[in-house]
């Protein structure tokens, strides 16, 4: 395989990050430091899992007059959902907040990024799906991941689906990057084991894909290699959820996010995206289901993945593509092959010679 | 050894970075994008090695009316030298520039950081030697390393010596971090081999020290591990200066700089600092001279270092501590043991039990 340069890219880093057990206790001060007479109130977008833990918002520094919104995680973000949230903030007079705090998993972090951009840019979420369409900086935003793996805390995108058009695409923009990220491994202690595994594997999978691709550069490779090493340590370790390994996985997620800025994914993500679009499966579990069927394309990673899943006693949904209709087959093929850039990265421009319709369907049928 | 947490730290990242062969051609546009009616002119601080290459400044976007200053590299930065440079910029009406570009090695990058801070904070360089003494953000600054290893492009300090007091200490501040760093491996092609090796080893050495220390955290460790891996690839490779390995070393330098933010060095740096203060040896070559004598403290790294130096056919100054006088012995001991934090990190609080006066001198005499 010929290794091609990804081209020169300007990469926007997360402004600041705080790392360590208990780091979340510093969010309060961060929020307080952003309040001014003109921007008194803050917005807290909190994963609805925490709705049952009554003092979550106040522990993050929420005061009377602030807006606290719980973000549902049954479905991944939609442009319509984001628009509704922004309208609500306008309605309650929280359209010029001191800061927007996103506290949760990838869904909540992506929601915080999108809301922050819309509050200053106006218009609707769908207007900014694409590359560098956001015109001005969003409201100051703080990201606090409570599960590790998506890398959303470090990336310049926030993935959303437009329910009207079916378009699943983020606001790819330097303005989408968090101003401050708080990485506190103690927050991931109560994540269910399966979910912890699926989400953590998101970091592993996109870095495995990047390192196997033909479009490469030295800094993306470095971030990806260390991310993969950390994931190996975590998921081949005795207990992936002990204190040390939760800390390592949080670092893997952040560095994996940094890797995304200068690299491309491969064959797994297009198939995974198709599972999400056609069957509504969440991104991380869909990735795992796909990698589990990708022995031919990623033999090393597939074998390692099998070892990890057995070692950690994790279960994977089975037969998600049982009983496909002709329409579903057509939809799955279309939703896979539209991801030309990653497929070219993995298989070359002539990727359809390898990924024939029949081959694609036989892969889905293994999932 | 007990592993202790470094404590929770807020880390300021470099704002943006550009990476790739030929990335330097983008500096021109970056500079142009900073010019406004109120801030028309830019300041270019250029390593004086490039004085012989006539179009260096214009290739970076310098226009008539800008200030182009060549930074001497015979001596490392002094607070007096920085003050003189700032006075010169005030005298020529360049005290409110659009941006400050530092183009060179660690000396030039550190100079650019210090000058940027002083132009907005006023006063003298010595006023800001310490931690978090810089009050307001400096002038926008762009760092372009032309040699890899010091990590200055990614750190929050700029090391300077006050010639009046002998104090060698940087302006440790979030404001010292570059707004934009341009990483172009083609720039290191013409570096002399010995210098390339010494400087590159700065990244290797501080990460080896960090990973052997007792104050640790998962993100610093991750950056350090990948930096060490990259340095191994470069210096155990057939030609450390081929295109691929120069690219890898530039990444190692940047990630090594990121590692510094959340880690501490060990035994090498205090001895190296003493060689710099007492004999005026530059930081990077001094580090190599020290590691070469540190078989007892870092047996693995020492053996690897010997392999690297032989593989790359690099020569090291010898007998730099021949014929020590009593005064020099006293000075060397004092200049070493004052670095309590790194020595505690490496050897524990009771480090003087290991590092007796006699032991320190016998180590220096091996250098």
């Amino acid at each position: 395989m010929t290794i091609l340069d990804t081209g020169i890219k300007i990469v926007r880093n997360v402004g600041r990050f705080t790392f360590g057990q208990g780091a979340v206790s510093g969010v309060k001060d961060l929020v307080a430091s952003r309040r001014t007479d003109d921007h008194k109130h803050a917005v807290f977008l909190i994963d609805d899992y925490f709705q049952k833990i009554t003092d979550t918002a106040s522990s993050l520094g929420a005061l009377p007059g602030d807006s606290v919104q719980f973000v549902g995680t049954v479905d991944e973000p939609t442009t319509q959902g984001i628009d509704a949230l922004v309208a609500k903030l306008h309605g309650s007079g929280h359209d010029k907040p001191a800061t927007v705090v996103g506290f949760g998993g990838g869904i909540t972090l992506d929601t915080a990024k999108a809301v922050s951009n819309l509050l200053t840019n106006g218009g609707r979420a769908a207007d900014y799906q694409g590359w560098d369409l956001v015109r001005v900086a969003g409201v100051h935003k703080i990201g606090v991941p409570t599960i590790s793996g998506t890398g959303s805390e470090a990336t310049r995108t926030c993935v959303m689906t437009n329910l009207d058009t079916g378009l699943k695409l983020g606001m790819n923009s330097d303005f989408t990057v968090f101003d401050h990220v708080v990485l506190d491994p103690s927050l991931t202690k109560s994540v269910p084991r399966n979910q912890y595994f699926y989400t953590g594997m998101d970091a592993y999978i996109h870095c495995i894909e990047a390192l196997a691709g033909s479009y490469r550069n030295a800094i993306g490779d470095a971030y990806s290699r260390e991310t993969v090493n950390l994931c190996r340590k975590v998921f081949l370790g005795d207990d992936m959820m002990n204190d040390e390994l939760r800390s390592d996985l949080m670092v893997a997620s952040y560095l994996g996010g940094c890797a995304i800025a200068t690299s491309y994914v491969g064959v797994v993500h297009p198939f995974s995206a198709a599972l999400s679009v056609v069957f509504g499966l969440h991104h991380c579990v869909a990735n795992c289901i796909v990698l589990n069927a990708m022995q031919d394309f990623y033999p090393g990673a597939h074998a390692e993945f099998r070892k990890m899943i057995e070692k950690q006693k994790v279960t994977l949904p089975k037969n998600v593509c049982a009983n496909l209709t002709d329409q579903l087959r057509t939809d799955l093929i279309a939703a896979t092959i539209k991801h030309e850039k990653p497929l070219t990265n993995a298989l070359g421009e002539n990727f359809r010679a390898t990924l024939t319709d029949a081959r694609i369907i036989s892969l889905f049928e293994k999932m």
Side-chain angles (χ1 to χ4, degrees), chain A:
Chain A
M1 190 174 68
T2 314
I3 299 295
L4 306 163
D5 200 289
T6 49
I8 297 164
K9 288 195 177 170
I10 297 184
V11 178
R12 166 91 159 81
N13 283 321
V14 163
R16 286 180 169 77
F17 69 85
T18 321
F19 177 81
Q21 299 276 349
V24 70
S25 66
V27 174
K28 217 171 194 161
D29 290 342
L30 285 177
V31 172
S33 75
R34 301 298 309 176
R35 297 186 196 267
T36 63
D37 286 346
D38 291 341
H39 305 276
K40 275 192 188 125
H41 303 304
V43 169
F44 295 82
L45 303 178
I46 300 179
D47 193 315
D48 69 359
Y49 166 85
F50 295 95
Q51 204 153 0
K52 62 185 180 197
I53 302 168
T54 47
D55 62 350
T56 302
S58 63
S59 75
L60 297 171
L63 297 178
D66 288 348
S67 175
V68 177
Q69 304 294 328
F70 290 96
V71 178
T73 52
V74 174
D75 296 312
E76 294 187 318
T78 62
T79 61
Q80 286 75 9
I82 300 288
D83 289 340
L85 192 46
V86 171
K88 201 169 175 182
L89 294 174
H90 275 282
S92 61
H94 292 94
D95 52 319
K96 289 187 172 59
T99 186
V100 173
V101 178
F103 183 84
I107 290 174
T108 307
L109 297 180
D110 278 6
T111 300
K113 291 154 119 181
V115 166
S116 160
N117 281 339
L118 281 173
L119 285 175
T120 53
N121 282 271
R124 292 171 319 150
D127 302 339
Y128 304 100
Q129 285 184 293
W131 282 266
D132 302 310
L133 301 173
V134 182
R135 291 170 297 103
V136 297
V139 171
H140 181 275
K141 55 191 174 297
I142 301 169
V144 190
T146 60
I147 186 169
S148 304
T150 69
S152 171
E153 62 275 22
T155 66
R156 71 192 297 273
T157 195
C158 47
V159 182
M160 312 167 296
T161 302
N162 183 336
L163 293 178
D164 293 336
T165 63
L167 181 67
K168 184 177 180 177
L169 184 61
M171 299 181 184
N172 295 271
S173 162
D174 279 1
F175 296 126
T176 304
V177 179
F178 279 110
D179 297 285
H180 199 121
V181 167
V182 176
L183 302 171
D184 184 344
S186 69
L187 295 173
T188 64
K189 211 163 188 164
S190 58
V191 175
R193 285 184 71 85
N194 278 357
Q195 191 55 39
Y196 179 89
F197 181 88
Y198 304 151
T199 308
M201 288 309 289
D202 195 11
Y204 174 84
I205 290 172
H206 64 66
C207 290
I208 284 289
E209 289 180 279
L211 289 169
S214 54
Y215 289 92
R216 304 271 288 282
N217 75 70
I219 195 154
D221 282 6
Y223 280 125
S224 292
R225 265 193 311 263
E226 183 58 21
T227 301
V228 170
N229 287 341
L230 284 164
C231 290
R232 282 183 182 138
K233 189 180 165 203
V234 172
F235 295 115
L236 297 172
D238 279 338
D239 175 10
M240 64 183 180
M241 291 191 71
N242 72 28
D243 281 357
E244 181 188 340
L245 297 186
R246 278 187 293 101
S247 184
D248 284 330
L249 192 61
M250 194 157 262
V251 174
S253 178
Y254 175 76
L255 297 181
C258 294
I260 290 174
T262 57
S263 64
Y264 297 104
V265 288
V267 188
V268 177
H269 271 74
F271 279 78
S272 167
L275 289 183
S276 292
V277 168
V278 177
F279 297 118
L281 282 166
H282 280 210
H283 178 65
C284 298
V285 68
N287 275 350
C288 289
I289 293 167
V290 174
L291 180 55
N292 197 41
M294 282 282 163
Q295 191 160 12
D296 294 354
F297 293 93
Y298 299 102
H302 176 269
E304 195 164 62
F305 171 77
R306 289 301 320 166
K307 238 189 251 176
M308 290 171 170
I309 206 166
E310 278 157 29
K311 177 107 190 175
Q312 302 304 333
K313 301 184 177 57
V314 166
T315 54
L316 210 56
K318 280 181 184 166
N319 303 319
V320 299
C321 293
N323 311 316
L324 293 180
T325 61
D326 282 351
Q327 184 59 51
L328 284 172
R329 286 194 187 90
T330 307
D331 292 348
L332 283 169
I333 292 167
T336 302
I337 62 166
K338 69 186 286 196
H339 297 274
E340 293 183 7
K341 190 82 199 184
L343 292 172
T344 304
N345 181 42
L347 304 171
E349 279 183 23
N350 201 14
F351 62 84
R352 283 291 265 159
T354 312
L355 283 184
T356 59
D357 286 3
R359 182 86 184 270
I360 292 172
I361 292 305
S362 98
L363 284 164
F364 277 117
E365 284 174 342
K366 285 172 67 183
M367 296 179 192

